[in-house]
């Protein structure tokens, strides 16, 4: 080996040693970047926060690569798969002079609040990532959709401990900056009602926690969050509070004590509304169907609910879109309930799931939303649900792209056949779903080439900071370079 080759090999080995040693320093904060010879082999879009016992003050780890392990999701009697945000994501770069939305227009016209854009067109967007990368990807998705206007930014607060439910410093800033760039944008924030929100807390303990919340023991956490959002100049944030409460996954679930849950919800809303300058809208969002309990039993009342949302994925296996419409507590029951209470609807989470690459579902769901005009919708865009970041759904991706590309005006997808109003307590008859037509997936970009490498086990919390798993390229230490 020539001296020059030996020096190059030594430098590469030194970088490897530095990369491994750097993992010990990551506890001090984000900012680790993959160096030479280190390849990201996964970019998990939806972390599931579980705090390692050996590092209780460290951020929660990311889940496995979604291309290998399918995360659970909300369903009828199926635990939800709502992505929960990680703890203390990387600190975003804050623009020096964010533009504050105008509160008034010209004197000849009445003022238009920034929370109520002048446009009547439904707002849409996608959940793309919980942190700064999610904000950056909004523009990239818009470009893929030929300039379609994505007016909704959607993220989640961590639910592992109270400090993070209050809105950790540096996490919400980048989202606030994005919101403030245009008056008609909307920031949607999922807010857990309990810490340890995905730690499998028993029903008995949940019941006790709900009663403590109803008695006001947790008020100060939500007051701190409200003050944080007002200080960031996003007082019109849509708060999806205690989402999918009718399931069994979250500590903020309703089932163990619906009456205490409703009192607790009302207390949180009243607390956040008491903060000067706030203009929050609160979105009550169950998962579609009955799930563990009927979501109507958890409804806290018209005074504290501004929007009636629903998380609706293409599941369970074999359920046609018509059945999703007609099932008890399904899509039609949701629309009817909202209308009877004078509330706008929303779909904070929706997408593919247990029926695979289902172009017919994608077409029908988009048409359903065009027909019923939700205040906003955000597709969950990671595998197995998504259409842009997930490459395993090419036919659905082609449908989504063809129907939404360039959209800035009124919806153009044909409406679904109107479904009759149904009594949620009556089991519907099963109707077959028409077969999904074959769609040319050639518009989907080619997957990136696979790089042969050996995974490096740096631990869950380290993988959180670097944004995924790392591997060592097998050809990197070759003597032939």
């Amino acid at each position: 080996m020539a001296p020059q080759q030996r020096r190059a090999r030594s430098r590469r080995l030194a970088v490897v040693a530095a990369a491994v040693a750097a993992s010990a320093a990551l506890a001090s904060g984000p900012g680790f970047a993959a160096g030479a010879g280190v390849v990201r082999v996964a970019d998990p879009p939806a972390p599931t926060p579980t705090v390692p016992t050996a590092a209780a003050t460290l951020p929660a780890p990311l889940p496995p690569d979604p291309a290998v392990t399918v995360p659970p999701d909300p369903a009828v009697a199926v635990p939800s798969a709502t992505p929960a945000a990680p703890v203390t994501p990387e600190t975003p770069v804050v623009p020096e002079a964010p533009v504050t939305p105008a509160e008034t227009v010209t004197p000849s016209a009445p003022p238009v609040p920034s929370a109520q854009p002048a446009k009547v067109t439904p707002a849409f967007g996608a959940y793309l990532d919980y942190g700064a990368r999610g904000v950056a990807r909004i523009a990239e998705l818009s470009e893929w959709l030929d300039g379609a206007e994505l007016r909704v930014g959607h993220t989640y607060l961590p639910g592992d401990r109270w400090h993070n439910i209050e809105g950790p410093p540096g996490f919400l800033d980048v989202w606030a900056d994005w919101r403030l760039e245009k008056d008609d944008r909307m920031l949607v924030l999922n807010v857990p009602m309990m810490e340890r929100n995905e730690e499998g807390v028993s029903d008995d303990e949940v019941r006790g926690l709900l009663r403590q919340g109803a008695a006001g023991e947790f008020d100060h956490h939500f007051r701190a969050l409200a003050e944080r959002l007002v200080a960031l100049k996003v007082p019109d944030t849509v708060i999806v509070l205690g989402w999918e409460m009718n399931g069994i996954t979250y500590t903020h679930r309703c089932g163990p004590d619906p009456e205490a849950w409703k009192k607790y919800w009302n207390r949180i809303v009243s607390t956040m509304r008491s903060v000067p300058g706030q203009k929050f809208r609160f979105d009550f969002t169950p998962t579609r169907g009955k799930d563990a309990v009927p979501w109507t039993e958890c409804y806290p009342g018209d005074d504290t609910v501004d929007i009636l949302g629903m998380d609706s994925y293409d599941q369970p296996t074999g359920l046609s879109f018509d059945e999703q419409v007609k099932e008890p507590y399904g899509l039609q029951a949701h629309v009817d309930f909202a209308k009877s209470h004078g509330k706008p609807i929303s779909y904070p989470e929706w997408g593919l799931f247990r029926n695979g690459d289902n172009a017919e579902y994608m077409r029908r769901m988009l048409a359903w939303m065009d027909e019923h005009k939700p205040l906003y919708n955000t597709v969950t865009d990671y595998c197995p649900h998504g259409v842009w970041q997930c490459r395993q759904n090419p036919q659905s991706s082609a449908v989504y792209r063809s129907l939404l590309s360039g959209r800035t005006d009124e919806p153009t997808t044909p409406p679904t056949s109107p479904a009759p109003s149904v009594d949620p307590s009556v089991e519907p008859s099963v109707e077959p779903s028409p077969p999904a037509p074959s769609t040319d997936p050639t518009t989907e970009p080619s997957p990136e080439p696979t790089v042969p490498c050996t995974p490096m086990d740096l631990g869950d919390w380290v993988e959180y900071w670097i944004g995924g798993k790392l591997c060592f390229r097998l050809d990197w230490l070759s003597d032939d370079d």
Side-chain angles (χ1 to χ4, degrees), residues 37-300:
V38 180
V39 181
R40 294 182 189 270
V41 295
D43 185 13
T48 303
T50 53
V51 180
T53 56
T57 61
L58 296 177
L62 289 168
D65 186 345
V68 178
T69 304
V70 176
D73 239 9
V76 177
V78 178
S80 66
T82 303
V87 178
T88 316
E90 56 187 345
T91 303
V93 177
V94 181
E96 293 183 3
V99 180
T100 303
E103 292 294 330
T104 59
V105 292
T106 59
S108 59
V112 180
S114 58
Q116 299 286 347
K119 295 183 179 180
V120 186
T121 54
F124 78 99
Y127 172 74
L128 301 168
D129 189 83
Y130 49 85
R133 288 181 299 180
V135 174
R137 289 169 183 169
I138 294 175
E140 296 172 17
L141 177 57
S142 176
E143 182 178 357
W144 183 71
L145 292 172
D146 299 324
E149 187 177 3
L150 277 67
R151 295 197 286 119
V152 186
H154 187 187
T155 190
Y156 297 72
L157 284 176
D160 60 334
R161 56 187 183 268
W162 283 118
H163 169 74
N164 293 305
I165 296 175
E166 294 176 0
F171 176 65
L172 293 172
D173 302 60
V174 67
W175 290 99
D177 293 336
W178 176 86
R179 161 66 186 89
L180 293 170
E181 287 176 2
K182 290 188 178 180
D183 288 354
D184 64 353
R185 286 179 174 175
M186 181 185 301
L187 175 59
V188 176
L189 180 65
N190 277 48
V191 177
M193 294 168 67
M194 293 287 183
E195 66 175 349
R196 298 183 295 144
N197 202 34
E198 294 186 60
E199 293 188 15
V201 178
S202 69
D203 281 355
D204 286 342
E205 188 172 357
V206 167
R207 189 176 299 111
L209 289 168
L210 291 175
R211 292 173 182 176
Q212 291 177 46
E217 292 189 24
F218 308 133
D219 288 0
H220 58 289
H221 299 299
F222 297 97
R223 185 176 296 107
L225 172 61
E227 291 171 348
R228 173 78 175 143
L229 292 169
V230 170
L232 289 171
K233 300 181 181 179
V234 284
D236 56 356
T237 299
V238 173
I239 306 293
V240 185
L241 180 63
W243 69 101
E244 296 174 13
M245 75 300 295
N246 57 323
I248 62 173
T249 299
Y250 300 111
T251 304
H252 65 220
R253 61 189 181 271
C254 166
D257 194 334
E259 291 305 312
W261 191 92
K262 290 184 283 188
K263 291 178 182 178
Y264 183 32
W265 162 287
N266 290 334
R267 183 140 197 143
I268 294 172
V269 172
S270 297
T271 297
M272 295 187 71
R273 284 180 176 171
S274 71
V275 172
Q278 68 80 33
K279 302 176 185 177
F280 304 124
R281 285 179 288 178
F282 292 88
D283 192 331
F284 172 84
T285 299
T287 185
R288 194 197 75 242
K290 182 179 179 181
D291 213 327
V293 295
W295 50 260
T296 52
E297 293 183 9
C298 307
Y299 186 68

Side-chain angles (χ1 to χ4, degrees), residues 4 174 200 309 340 420:
Q4 183 176 2
V174 67
S340 69

